[in-house]
Amino acid sequence: EKNKNPQPMQQLAGNAKWLPATPTIGIFETACNLGFKTPSSGSKELENERLDTKIVTVKEVDDIEPSTCALISCLRLIASSSIRLNFSERRRKFIDVLNMLLDSCKKLPILITVVAVIRKWLTEEDGRFGPLTRGEREDFLWKMISFDYHDLPQVASNALSDMVCITAMGACGYNLTQLQHRPNDVQNNAHEFKISVSQPSQDILRDQMIRKLFVTCLLSANFRLRSMAVVIFGTEQNEVKVACDSLESICARDVLTGNNSISGRSPFDILRQLLSADYEGLGKRLWTTIFAEILLACSDHSDGAYLACKQSEHQLFEPREKSKTVKRARGFLRPTQYQASKQQVLHTNRNNDYILNTTYSTFQKAILTERARKRFGRGRCLIAMRTLIHGCVDTCQLIFCCVLKAAWQNIPTNERRASLIKPMESLLSRPYHAQFLKIRENSRINAIQSILGVILHLRPLPSLDVFLIRSLASNYSCQREVLSYFEQHFTVLKRNGLEVNISSSELIQSILHVYKTLGDDDMIVSINSSLSTFKGTKFALSLDMYGFVIKSTDAYLALIDRVDGARKDFAPPEFELSVWEDRWVKGYKELSQWHLIDEFAASHGDPELMMECAWKVKNWDKVKSLCASPSVIASLVDGDPVTKMSEIFLAIHEGKLSEVENLHAQTAQLCLHKWQLLPSIGTDSNPHKVLLQQFQRLVELRESSQVMVETSSHSSGRTIPDLKNLLSSWRHRVPNSFEPISVWEDLFLWRQQIFDAVTSNFSWSEPGTLATLHDRPWTCISLCRTARKHGLKEVSMLSLSNLTECAMDVQDAFLKLREQVFTYRNATASHLKGGLNVVNSTNLSFFDARQKAELFRLKGFFLDALNDKTSSNQAYCNSVQICPTYSKAWVDWGNLCASLFVITRKKADNQPDAKLESTKKSNQYLAQAMGCFLEAVRCDASEHSRDRIPHCLSMISNDGAQYGILCQTLEARGVLLPAWVWLPWIPQLLTSLCRIEARAVKSIIGEVVKDHPQAVYYSLRAFFLERRDVDRSRGQDADSKDEESLLSVKYAELLMSNLRKLHPILWSKLEVILEDLIIRFRPSYEAELLATITALLQKASSRVELKSSKEEKNKEEHSLLESYHTTLKRIGMKFFNKEKPDGSKSRKAVLFHAKYASMFECDFLRQQTGPNGAVYSGPASIPELVERLKRWKLMIEYQVSRVPSSCKLQEASPSLAWYSCEPPDLWAGACESKSFTISK
């Protein structure tokens, strides 16, 4: 022992301070097996303790602190003493210390020591429970079951996991002494390996905690321990009773040879055992891996894995009678049609022999070597798969799906399958599945998602309880899997002739419930429409789906009124009546009719709806009474954050600001819990959007409480608080303009209540000062603007009515006036006149130039709508005179001029005599419109103004064949615009160089070349080369009609010359990039040859089909064959030119020539004699040519398929790889998207 471990305990502590040599140190060293010498005398129990826990003693470790070593020694000394046998206060305290260490200690040596102590105490040698009470034993076992390995080092914690597994197996009667000494070297010491099996007592085997602990061994990271646990699990009979007479031989044979399979068990027995097992200790892990591994272990792989030929799926449980029809090779996955497919793809000619000899020679040698050594088979493929599923979740899920499908299909009768449904439902309903929420980094899939995803593929589909599956959707983030199951269940029932499309079906109601949790309102409306029987319901739902809120709400109300009219001939089903009421309530929420909704909720006894209406209508007494109602308390217990938020509203209103922080934290936890249960964020994540809106409300509630604290303190001291930062952040923190009005009201109605509270607290201050403490005008105007854009004029006017007695500045007053005027737009003539009167009666002296220009623009709009074009034109003129940089006025004036052009053109068509004069006048209107649009872009290059640029380019065609007023307008005003606004229209501008407007467009492109050469270079270069080739092809035959085409070449050449002169360095770099794109990214020689052969094969095959339907003459066939031979010669000259010296060829070209040149010449260019005595160079007939082309196509396709689909850019083109690391050169407005702000 001294030679094996010469280092004392002090030396194990590394560079720590040495401890003096004392008798206590000697005892520590002896107890920890770290000393120089094993005691010759002493307790036999201490000797056994040292032997049993030899694996957990850490030797020759430099990073263990002396205090840790001392604690380990103390634990072992106390555990080996007689304290464990005496029920005293000291024993209780020691048990508490062990429990505390298991709960909070994060040091692996200490944890392993504690587990070793518990393992010793757990059982006696005779198989009975050790000196532990039932409660102590269950506490220790549960702590070992629920070890949180995520807080420990991943690799180092495997030792603790192994110790727990050995403890579980030891409790069941297995003594793995040799395995724990050499856990990774069992195969090399097979003669020393021995597993002794004792018969444990039935109390131990029936102990629930022992069974839970043993199940955790099935996911051990130690391959040998896991394999041992799988064998033990597979040989169990009568639930947990062990067959002791045969287990020792089974373990010795299977674990040592690696063929650790489960034999003699049917798929039904295995599935029943797996479904009945308790996986509580693995709730935080993907325990479905156990299903996959055990089903793989019980598969029949004694003769190698194989693929069934009659089915498209893997049959791992194929009966022996069926396996006779399968042609198998040991150790390979091989179908019976392998030889046939081989003959189709790899032909037995010299060409394919060349491919096989060069490509697969090494692989063939390796296979022959393995066969000669007889190292194949014995299930090694499945053993590798069993190891792989523990490292990859996707692979595990795929294999789990395959093996469970195979096991389910090989259950002999449907009665047996039906008997597994209850265990399956019992397993899915276990509460410990929710442990996945406690993991800090949630995996992409939990156990419920995994098993439901596999159940979808079982045939026949198991009929599980609908309410159980429905509850799993929202509790375990598996909404998509549940919907897929319900859809398949629905399809199966329909195929069996069952009527399930009735509204009272539990299945349909569950589907609607899941879609409601996902927030998929369109799908809910669609399902309701398909289930409805009344045409009125379908009509109202159609209006609702397309966003006609007012019309759909009126339609629902009409249907409800018909029911209230007590007409006997109108008795709708209960389902449709509930749909009408639900959709009516939703529509009235958008219309902000909270008083009516409150009455409806009170009549129907809906507490949640009453709560929402109560705080929005400021009925706080009702809110307080509802918070104490049993139904609201039940919703709080269920974890509804919206109901909890109502308590925060009430606390802020009543001034209980000290409770707000606690309530806020509770509500935030509820929201986070719901977020964790949602599916992954996708393209349509409505539930995530709703929760984000609730988070925003929570943030503002907390800020509101802070505002109330500040206002109460400042109000008592007669001082003014500074709320500018908060009000500014609230202005920027608004919903999107396309979101429903109900979302806006959830925020803005609460803000208005806070502003009312602030106003009441500071009513003693001056009106000007009070206006700086709240933002009610901007809030109401923003809500009004959003409602107006949604087409809800009533809501818009209702929001403006809240500003009747509110002081506001000039800007807010102007915005309020503007929104009032906008409510008269798009209405009848009387409303239009009313809007015009409002504008005419407005006093403009308080407003600035831009605000006055906006009012004149609105005046021009109303006059235009009333068909007073002259006055409208004058109003727009006044608007741009007041503020020449107001782009909206220019745009509207341009629209007016464009409409005048249309009117004038129609008059010209109706009056042929005055057509010339009318055309001239219409072109003047169009030129004015173009000038207005271009001026709007110059004043404000926003997207709203830039949308008119394509309209301006299309106007030029009205000039005809002469350079008219439209071209002159474009030339004069186009160059004044920022150059970047023309970048999206470069192709249209280059095309215009070939037409009459070339001179105007040339100057615009010239400006673009100066500022943004890179954006125009490639398009301009391609245009120049194309037009130059066209010009050269025409030659001297060009007439006067081609003058414009010749002019386009000159303009393009001039622009290219200017680009090279202005940006010489950039031009050279762009040329390098272009050269790389042309040379380095061209298709391979094989790809080009494949494209050529494919085209020729299609042409020749069509001739063969034509010949089969109609006989051709020999002379025509001879001429066709000659043309094909000529084509083949050209192909040979292109790809296999012998006259070109090898030194001028690239390495790829030389290899390509050496590989295919001789074969191509032999197949297509060799001289041979045909049946009529004629000499041909190549095939003698078209069918023979087609066969050879097919063979070459298969061969070249195979070579092309071997080319990787992707490669590193650094390898393909180093110059382009350098540019990929550089930031892009963006221009102003390049990243500007559609504006969804509320500023317009």
Side-chain angles (χ1 to χ4, degrees):
E1 189 71 16
K2 180 178 179 181
N3 295 330
K4 293 181 180 179
N5 189 18
Q7 293 182 339
M9 184 176 179
Q10 299 93 323
Q11 197 169 349
L12 289 175
N15 298 324
K17 185 178 180 180
W18 282 46
L19 297 176
T22 62
T24 305
I25 292 297
I27 296 174
F28 286 164
E29 293 176 347
T30 302
C32 294
N33 195 24
L34 299 175
F36 292 99
K37 179 179 173 181
T38 303
S40 57
S41 62
S43 175
K44 182 179 179 182
E45 184 179 357
L46 184 62
E47 180 73 16
N48 293 335
E49 174 73 11
R50 184 190 63 79
L51 179 62
D52 291 342
T53 59
K54 184 177 181 181
I55 186 175
V56 304
T57 303
V58 183
K59 300 183 179 182
E60 299 182 359
V61 179
D62 295 334
D63 56 351
I64 298 182
E65 300 177 356
S67 58
T68 303
C69 294
L71 178 58
I72 292 173
S73 302
C74 291
L75 291 174
R76 293 176 55 80
L77 279 174
I78 298 174
S80 60
S81 65
S82 61
I83 192 175
R84 61 193 179 99
L85 301 175
N86 301 323
F87 290 89
S88 60
E89 184 66 19
R90 290 180 299 173
R91 182 182 184 278
R92 185 186 63 79
K93 291 182 178 180
F94 184 63
I95 296 293
D96 293 341
V97 169
L98 295 180
N99 282 319
M100 182 187 65
L101 290 175
L102 289 175
D103 287 335
S104 58
C105 184
K106 302 301 180 185
K107 293 186 177 182
L108 281 173
I110 297 177
L111 289 174
I112 293 175
T113 303
V114 173
V115 172
V117 170
I118 296 173
R119 177 195 169 199
K120 178 63 180 178
W121 285 11
L122 193 60
T123 57
E124 293 289 341
E125 296 180 357
D126 57 355
R128 295 178 292 102
F129 280 117
L132 294 174
T133 64
R134 184 180 182 85
E136 292 171 348
R137 184 178 67 251
E138 290 182 355
D139 288 343
F140 283 138
L141 289 175
W142 175 246
K143 285 180 171 57
M144 285 192 290
I145 290 171
S146 58
F147 261 139
D148 190 2
Y149 295 98
H150 294 86
D151 294 335
L152 300 174
Q154 184 175 5
V155 177
S157 61
N158 291 337
L160 178 61
S161 176
D162 294 348
M163 195 65 188
V164 173
C165 293
I166 293 173
T167 302
M169 295 182 185
C172 293
Y174 304 101
N175 185 8
L176 310 178
T177 306
Q178 294 295 331
L179 181 61
Q180 73 180 31
H181 278 277
R182 286 184 283 272
N184 299 319
D185 194 28
V186 176
Q187 186 133 5
N188 297 332
N189 300 276
H191 61 282
E192 300 179 5
F193 181 75
K194 183 178 180 181
I195 302 175
S196 61
V197 182
S198 61
Q199 177 65 48
S201 66
Q202 295 300 317
D203 294 337
I204 294 179
L205 293 177
R206 282 193 291 266
D207 189 87
Q208 187 178 6
M209 288 297 177
I210 294 292
R211 295 169 60 183
K212 290 181 181 179
L213 185 61
F214 179 78
V215 171
T216 60
C217 302
L218 298 174
L219 279 185
S220 174
N222 191 314
F223 172 75
R224 296 302 177 186
L225 289 176
R226 186 175 69 248
S227 302
M228 188 69 214
V230 169
V231 173
I232 296 173
F233 187 88
T235 55
E236 289 182 351
Q237 300 173 359
N238 298 329
E239 294 184 352
V240 295
K241 186 177 180 180
V242 182
C244 299
D245 54 347
S246 61
L247 182 60
E248 185 172 353
S249 60
I250 291 174
C251 294
R253 182 192 70 230
D254 293 344
V255 177
L256 293 180
T257 60
N259 187 20
N260 45 0
S261 61
I262 300 174
S263 59
R265 302 291 301 278
S266 65
F268 173 77
D269 295 336
I270 289 294
L271 285 179
R272 183 174 60 181
Q273 184 179 355
L274 286 170
L275 294 173
S276 303
D278 194 338
Y279 303 98
E280 186 172 4
L282 301 173
K284 298 180 183 179
R285 302 175 65 184
L286 188 63
W287 48 261
T288 52
T289 309
I290 297 175
F291 278 67
E293 180 167 12
I294 291 181
L295 288 174
L296 281 173
C298 71
S299 61
D300 182 14
H301 54 269
S302 60
D303 210 13
Y306 58 90
L307 183 69
C309 61
K310 294 185 178 180
Q311 299 184 9
S312 60
E313 298 177 349
H314 294 173
Q315 299 293 320
L316 297 178
F317 298 91
E318 189 76 22
R320 288 295 182 182
E321 294 78 16
K322 295 183 179 181
S323 63
K324 295 179 181 179
T325 62
V326 182
K327 186 173 183 179
R328 292 173 289 172
R330 294 177 62 87
F332 297 98
L333 199 65
R334 192 174 186 181
T336 55
Q337 299 178 354
Y338 173 75
Q339 295 294 337
S341 62
K342 178 180 177 181
Q343 293 295 336
Q344 294 175 4
V345 181
L346 299 176
H347 300 276
T348 57
N349 54 33
R350 61 183 178 278
N351 302 338
N352 297 299
D353 291 339
Y354 171 78
I355 298 174
L356 289 175
N357 291 333
T358 56
T359 306
Y360 295 107
S361 58
T362 306
F363 183 65
Q364 288 177 342
K365 291 179 181 179
I367 292 177
L368 294 176
T369 304
E370 289 291 317
R371 288 181 177 176
R373 295 179 180 178
K374 297 183 179 181
R375 293 174 58 183
F376 57 94
R378 299 201 305 273
R380 297 176 65 190
C381 177
L382 293 183
I383 292 176
M385 293 169 61
R386 288 170 55 183
T387 305
L388 186 61
I389 60 177
H390 290 272
C392 180
V393 175
D394 296 333
T395 305
C396 175
Q397 185 66 14
L398 180 61
I399 294 178
F400 177 38
C401 180
C402 294
V403 295
L404 188 58
K405 284 170 56 180
W408 185 263
Q409 290 173 1
N410 281 272
I411 296 177
T413 61
N414 285 333
E415 288 76 10
R416 285 202 162 192
R417 294 190 184 98
S419 64
L420 294 177
I421 292 180
K422 283 190 176 181
M424 194 179 298
E425 292 176 346
S426 176
L427 178 62
L428 291 173
S429 61
R430 300 291 178 86
Y432 56 75
H433 301 312
Q435 294 182 26
F436 79 96
L437 295 174
K438 300 178 182 179
I439 305 175
R440 296 178 182 176
E441 297 181 0
N442 286 337
S443 59
R444 293 177 300 170
I445 185 172
N446 57 58
I448 297 298
Q449 291 175 338
S450 174
I451 197 168
L452 284 180
V454 176
I455 289 176
L456 298 175
H457 297 86
L458 299 183
R459 296 296 180 272
L461 185 71
S463 180
L464 302 176
D465 185 75
V466 174
F467 287 102
L468 171 63
I469 303 300
R470 169 179 166 178
S471 64
L472 296 177
S474 56
N475 291 334
Y476 298 103
S477 183
C478 53
Q479 289 88 348
R480 303 301 179 189
E481 291 82 0
V482 169
L483 282 177
S484 299
Y485 175 81
F486 283 156
E487 291 171 359
Q488 293 188 18
H489 196 179
F490 179 83
T491 305
V492 170
L493 293 178
K494 291 288 288 185
R495 288 179 179 175
N496 292 331
L498 299 177
E499 190 67 25
V500 293
N501 56 350
I502 56 176
S503 58
S504 59
S505 172
E506 297 178 356
L507 182 60
I508 298 297
Q509 296 297 332
S510 299
I511 293 175
L512 288 172
H513 175 77
V514 177
Y515 276 118
K516 185 177 180 180
T517 58
L518 290 175
D520 197 343
D521 193 64
D522 292 338
M523 185 61 71
I524 295 175
V525 172
S526 178
I527 294 176
N528 290 333
S529 179
S530 63
L531 295 176
S532 59
T533 57
F534 288 92
K535 293 183 178 179
T537 307
K538 295 181 180 292
F539 174 72
L541 289 171
S542 299
L543 293 174
D544 198 356
M545 182 179 293
Y546 285 101
F548 298 101
V549 179
I550 299 177
K551 293 182 179 179
S552 62
T553 306
D554 293 340
Y556 292 131
L557 184 60
L559 292 171
I560 296 174
D561 290 340
R562 290 181 63 186
V563 177
D564 295 338
R567 293 184 54 181
K568 297 182 180 180
D569 58 340
F570 188 74
E574 190 68 24
F575 169 75
E576 291 196 43
L577 182 59
S578 64
V579 170
W580 298 344
E581 292 175 348
D582 293 341
R583 305 306 299 182
W584 176 83
V585 169
K586 184 177 181 181
Y588 264 50
K589 284 183 179 180
E590 298 299 319
L591 295 176
S592 191
Q593 300 294 328
W594 295 107
H595 290 281
L596 295 177
I597 298 174
D598 190 18
E599 296 177 2
F600 173 83
S603 62
H604 286 72
D606 190 344
E608 296 180 359
L609 188 57
M610 285 191 292
M611 179 77 75
E612 183 180 5
C613 296
W615 78 262
K616 288 186 177 179
V617 299
K618 305 178 182 179
N619 189 354
W620 295 108
D621 294 335
K622 189 173 184 179
V623 172
K624 188 174 183 179
S625 62
L626 286 172
C627 287
S629 62
S631 56
V632 173
I633 294 175
S635 63
L636 290 175
V637 174
D638 292 338
D640 185 15
V642 178
T643 307
K644 196 70 177 179
M645 219 174 286
S646 302
E647 293 186 358
I648 305 179
F649 294 149
L650 183 61
I652 294 176
H653 174 75
E654 293 181 347
K656 300 178 181 179
L657 304 178
S658 59
E659 300 178 2
V660 173
E661 191 68 27
N662 187 23
L663 293 173
H664 177 273
Q666 296 176 12
T667 311
Q669 289 298 321
L670 293 177
C671 292
L672 290 173
H673 178 74
K674 291 190 66 176
W675 180 277
Q676 203 171 7
L677 294 176
L678 293 178
S680 58
I681 298 179
T683 55
D684 188 16
S685 300
N686 289 320
H688 296 89
K689 186 164 50 179
V690 172
L691 272 179
L692 288 174
Q693 293 165 357
Q694 293 179 3
F695 280 124
Q696 179 180 354
R697 294 176 64 186
L698 274 177
V699 171
E700 297 203 358
L701 283 175
R702 190 173 185 178
E703 294 173 346
S704 300
S705 66
Q706 296 173 358
V707 169
M708 297 306 297
V709 170
E710 290 188 16
T711 54
S712 61
S713 61
H714 283 275
S715 176
S716 60
R718 292 283 177 166
T719 57
I720 303 299
D722 185 9
L723 302 179
K724 293 181 180 179
N725 294 333
L726 176 65
L727 298 179
S728 177
S729 63
W730 279 11
R731 279 199 176 194
H732 290 87
R733 196 192 300 147
V734 295
N736 297 309
S737 60
F738 54 80
E739 292 182 359
I741 294 297
S742 58
V743 177
W744 285 75
E745 285 192 335
D746 289 340
L747 286 176
F748 280 29
L749 290 182
W750 175 251
R751 291 183 183 180
Q752 291 179 14
Q753 296 192 25
I754 295 298
F755 295 152
D756 292 341
V758 172
T759 304
S760 62
N761 287 334
F762 295 93
S763 57
W764 47 266
S765 62
E766 297 181 359
T769 305
L770 184 61
T772 61
L773 299 179
H774 66 85
D775 208 3
R776 185 192 299 171
W778 182 90
T779 302
C780 295
I781 292 169
S782 300
L783 184 60
C784 170
R785 182 187 297 111
T786 305
R788 186 248 306 168
K789 291 185 176 181
H790 282 253
L792 306 176
K793 292 184 178 181
E794 295 180 358
V795 181
S796 178
M797 297 177 66
L798 179 63
S799 178
L800 287 178
S801 64
N802 296 325
L803 295 177
T804 53
E805 298 179 358
C806 181
M808 61 186 76
D809 56 11
V810 176
Q811 178 66 20
D812 291 335
F814 168 75
L815 293 176
K816 178 184 176 183
L817 175 63
R818 184 173 179 267
E819 291 301 326
Q820 287 178 343
V821 173
F822 269 121
T823 57
Y824 293 96
R825 297 180 60 178
N826 303 324
T828 59
S830 59
H831 284 79
L832 293 173
K833 291 180 181 179
L836 182 60
N837 293 332
V838 172
V839 175
N840 290 332
S841 61
T842 301
N843 186 2
L844 304 180
S845 59
F846 298 100
F847 303 128
D848 57 16
R850 193 176 185 84
Q851 293 170 347
K852 293 177 183 179
E854 172 65 11
L855 292 175
F856 273 103
R857 184 184 73 87
L858 294 175
K859 180 179 180 180
F861 169 81
F862 285 114
L863 292 172
D864 186 13
L866 293 171
N867 205 20
D868 189 354
K869 303 293 183 180
T870 304
S871 301
S872 176
N873 185 59
Q874 184 62 37
Y876 286 129
C877 181
N878 293 335
S879 178
V880 297
Q881 285 178 350
I882 294 173
C883 184
T885 60
Y886 190 49
S887 62
K888 288 185 179 181
W890 286 108
V891 171
D892 286 0
W893 197 7
N895 291 330
L896 175 64
C897 295
S899 64
L900 292 174
F901 161 77
V902 175
I903 296 173
T904 308
R905 178 60 62 90
K906 289 182 179 179
K907 290 181 180 180
D909 295 338
N910 297 329
Q911 299 176 0
D913 297 338
K915 186 174 182 179
L916 181 61
E917 184 179 355
S918 298
T919 302
K920 184 178 179 181
K921 187 176 181 180
S922 63
N923 285 348
Q924 290 178 351
Y925 281 131
L926 204 59
Q928 293 176 1
M930 180 188 292
C932 290
F933 290 149
L934 296 179
E935 185 65 20
V937 177
R938 189 185 69 84
C939 296
D940 181 15
S942 62
E943 193 167 359
H944 177 71
S945 303
R946 298 199 310 270
D947 288 343
R948 272 67 181 178
I949 290 180
H951 190 191
C952 295
L953 295 177
S954 64
M955 292 178 183
I956 302 176
S957 60
N958 292 278
D959 262 348
Q962 296 181 354
Y963 193 84
I965 187 174
L966 293 172
C967 295
Q968 295 173 4
T969 304
L970 180 63
E971 182 180 9
R973 295 190 175 272
V975 294
L976 301 178
L977 271 60
W980 63 267
V981 303
W982 297 104
L983 294 181
W985 314 106
I986 287 177
Q988 287 76 12
L989 293 176
L990 292 176
T991 307
S992 298
L993 290 176
C994 302
R995 295 191 293 267
I996 193 65
E997 66 270 15
R999 190 176 69 189
V1001 172
K1002 180 183 74 68
S1003 58
I1004 296 175
I1005 300 178
E1007 296 296 325
V1008 177
V1009 167
K1010 291 180 182 179
D1011 296 339
H1012 308 284
Q1014 187 173 349
V1016 74
Y1017 172 76
Y1018 293 109
S1019 301
L1020 181 60
R1021 184 180 186 277
F1023 176 80
F1024 168 67
L1025 295 177
E1026 179 187 358
R1027 302 310 304 175
R1028 187 183 64 180
D1029 294 341
V1030 172
D1031 187 17
R1032 290 177 178 176
S1033 64
R1034 293 178 180 177
Q1036 301 297 329
D1037 299 332
D1039 50 11
S1040 59
K1041 295 182 180 180
D1042 298 326
E1043 183 178 354
E1044 295 177 358
S1045 179
L1046 297 175
L1047 190 62
S1048 66
V1049 178
K1050 294 180 181 179
Y1051 284 155
E1053 185 177 6
L1054 179 61
L1055 292 171
M1056 286 293 296
S1057 177
N1058 291 338
L1059 192 149
R1060 285 194 294 268
K1061 293 178 182 178
L1062 294 173
H1063 310 280
I1065 299 177
L1066 177 64
W1067 174 81
S1068 62
K1069 290 183 178 180
L1070 292 176
E1071 285 292 334
V1072 171
I1073 293 175
L1074 188 61
E1075 182 180 0
D1076 276 1
L1077 292 174
I1078 295 174
I1079 297 177
R1080 294 181 178 270
F1081 293 94
R1082 61 170 296 177
S1084 62
Y1085 293 104
E1086 287 83 356
E1088 292 183 0
L1089 180 59
L1090 177 61
T1092 306
I1093 290 178
T1094 302
L1096 185 59
L1097 178 60
Q1098 291 177 353
K1099 185 177 180 180
S1101 300
S1102 63
R1103 288 296 180 181
V1104 172
E1105 294 174 0
L1106 182 63
K1107 180 180 178 182
S1108 61
S1109 60
K1110 182 180 179 181
E1111 291 294 335
E1112 294 181 341
K1113 296 181 180 180
N1114 294 333
K1115 185 176 180 180
E1116 294 179 358
E1117 182 179 359
H1118 178 71
S1119 61
L1120 288 173
L1121 196 59
E1122 285 294 333
S1123 64
Y1124 293 149
H1125 290 163
T1126 304
T1127 304
L1128 289 171
K1129 289 180 180 178
R1130 292 176 180 174
I1131 294 174
M1133 289 295 296
K1134 177 181 179 181
F1135 292 99
F1136 312 108
N1137 190 1
K1138 296 181 180 180
E1139 297 179 358
K1140 189 176 182 180
D1142 293 340
S1144 60
K1145 298 180 181 179
S1146 63
R1147 180 176 177 273
K1148 292 183 179 180
V1150 172
L1151 293 176
F1152 177 77
H1153 187 278
K1155 192 172 185 179
Y1156 297 106
S1158 60
M1159 292 188 292
F1160 187 86
E1161 183 178 358
C1162 182
D1163 284 344
F1164 297 110
L1165 304 178
R1166 186 178 59 183
Q1167 295 289 337
Q1168 56 183 347
T1169 304
N1172 55 357
V1175 178
Y1176 296 93
S1177 60
S1181 61
I1182 294 181
E1184 183 182 356
L1185 175 64
V1186 170
E1187 291 299 324
R1188 294 189 182 183
L1189 288 174
K1190 288 181 178 179
R1191 188 166 65 247
W1192 269 79
K1193 181 184 176 184
L1194 288 174
M1195 181 176 62
I1196 302 300
E1197 279 181 345
Y1198 172 74
Q1199 293 296 332
V1200 172
S1201 65
R1202 295 179 60 194
V1203 178
S1205 58
S1206 62
C1207 64
K1208 294 182 178 180
L1209 185 61
Q1210 182 67 31
E1211 299 175 358
S1213 177
S1215 59
L1216 291 180
W1218 183 83
Y1219 286 110
S1220 65
C1221 302
E1222 292 293 316
D1225 184 15
L1226 299 178
W1227 57 92
C1231 300
E1232 183 180 350
S1233 60
K1234 288 286 185 182
S1235 176
F1236 293 112
T1237 61
I1238 61 173
S1239 60
K1240 295 181 180 179

